[in-house]
Amino acid sequence: MQVRKTLLRWGPWNYRFWRELTRWCYEQGLKNPPVVNTSAHFPASGELQNAYTDIRRETLEVALSGRLPANHEIMEQQRTLYEFDRKVWGMLPLRGYGYDYPANQALIPTLRSFLARHRDVVSAAVSLFPPGKVLRPHRGPFKGVWRYHLPLYVQILADGRTSCELLIDGTTYHLHEGEGLLWDDTFLHSAVNRSDQPRVVLLFDVFRHDQPFWLVGLGWLFLWGAQLWQHVQCMRQRALLKSDPGEETAGAA
């Protein structure tokens, strides 16, 4: 019985099988530290910094509305991250491995313009951690991208640390608003919001241009498969903002 369960969990028909296989292939051909220089590997981040005020204003209007869908409801594979502490991780996908979410992008015009100019930013999302949220240690599935964190709404705690706390490969980072960090999320990492306020961060995945040619091909194959999977799963519909409770009340009246 246990063998059968293991096969069902790790067979080639399961996401986990391909995640681990892809990660193994990349680890053979790419060696890098957990955190890398942002300007060297993601020069377009300068545009985000220049437009930061507009991006922050537009994004927070959406993120703090209480209408973000739950990450585990958009993607069932994320459910274990929710079940760890039963606190809902809000997520608004704008682009997922090259697959655009036009309705969501339209809510944040400055970011929509940025993404239209930079197709190598293969993923972008608004992330909201509720107070006390803990993201258990885990590893990302795809080493063909850099992960970029850009905090928009962060609390400074009494000890000087911030609510945007990341533990990456044994090193802790406390990011401030507007302070971007570029890193490789296939390293073991975790996150926590120790404040009594939500924490809002923009997450970007940037296609790596330092890969050997054979990994570039594998990377585009991975992206194509991820786009097809999102289409089949009707992810655009599941990723829409929740209905406004006020509108529902008015409609019922």
Side-chain angles (χ1 to χ4, degrees):
M1 181 62 71
Q2 185 60 41
V3 172
R4 183 180 179 184
K5 287 182 178 179
T6 301
L7 287 174
L8 288 173
R9 185 177 175 85
W10 293 99
W13 47 80
N14 194 293
Y15 160 79
R16 292 181 179 87
F17 174 87
W18 297 104
R19 177 190 67 190
E20 296 303 318
L21 179 61
T22 301
R23 181 187 290 150
W24 180 86
C25 289
Y26 270 92
E27 288 177 345
Q28 307 315 301
L30 282 177
K31 306 295 181 184
N32 56 265
V35 176
V36 297
N37 182 277
T38 300
S39 59
H41 295 281
F42 184 30
S45 64
E47 295 182 33
L48 295 172
Q49 294 294 337
N50 292 338
Y52 179 79
T53 300
D54 290 337
I55 290 172
R56 184 178 187 273
R57 172 178 51 80
E58 293 172 2
T59 304
L60 291 186
E61 184 176 344
V62 177
L64 300 179
S65 67
R67 299 173 59 199
L68 259 61
N71 188 35
H72 69 277
E73 293 175 351
I74 299 172
M75 185 180 296
E76 179 63 28
Q77 288 78 9
Q78 301 293 317
R79 178 166 291 277
T80 57
L81 300 180
Y82 160 69
E83 292 175 344
F84 182 74
D85 62 2
R86 313 296 291 186
K87 293 182 180 291
V88 175
W89 178 9
M91 187 72 71
L92 187 73
L94 305 175
R95 176 180 291 163
Y97 287 137
Y99 186 76
D100 283 321
Y101 290 75
N104 291 349
Q105 289 185 18
L107 300 170
I108 312 173
T110 306
L111 275 180
R112 176 179 59 185
S113 177
F114 173 81
L115 292 173
R117 294 193 304 273
H118 298 284
R119 295 301 306 186
D120 61 338
V121 178
V122 296
S123 296
V126 180
S127 166
L128 184 147
F129 262 28
K133 174 67 180 176
V134 176
L135 188 62
R136 63 174 176 77
H138 65 288
R139 301 174 64 196
F142 183 40
K143 200 177 179 71
V145 297
W146 299 115
R147 170 63 53 86
Y148 183 66
H149 258 63
L150 183 60
L152 301 181
Y153 190 74
V154 171
Q155 300 299 308
I156 299 178
L157 307 179
D159 59 5
R161 297 181 298 174
T162 74
S163 59
C164 188
E165 179 180 326
L166 295 173
L167 178 63
I168 306 172
D169 195 41
T171 300
T172 302
Y173 301 83
H174 292 93
L175 303 183
H176 293 258
E177 291 181 4
E179 180 184 2
L181 183 73
L182 191 69
W183 54 291
D184 178 352
D185 84 332
T186 64
F187 284 88
L188 189 68
H189 62 280
S190 60
V192 61
N193 176 4
R194 301 185 190 275
S195 77
D196 59 0
Q197 297 292 322
R199 183 219 74 177
V200 181
V201 170
L202 287 175
L203 304 177
F204 298 89
D205 287 335
V206 186
F207 195 79
R208 293 181 60 166
H209 297 290
D210 61 340
Q211 306 178 56
F213 73 93
W214 66 275
L215 282 180
V216 171
L218 178 63
W220 285 115
L221 182 63
F222 181 91
L223 294 177
W224 178 83
Q227 292 168 33
L228 179 62
W229 181 78
Q230 289 171 88
H231 177 73
V232 170
Q233 294 290 317
C234 300
M235 298 284 273
R236 284 177 178 153
Q237 186 63 34
R238 291 155 59 182
L240 293 174
L241 287 181
K242 298 176 182 176
S243 300
D244 188 331
E247 292 178 359
E248 291 183 351
T249 302

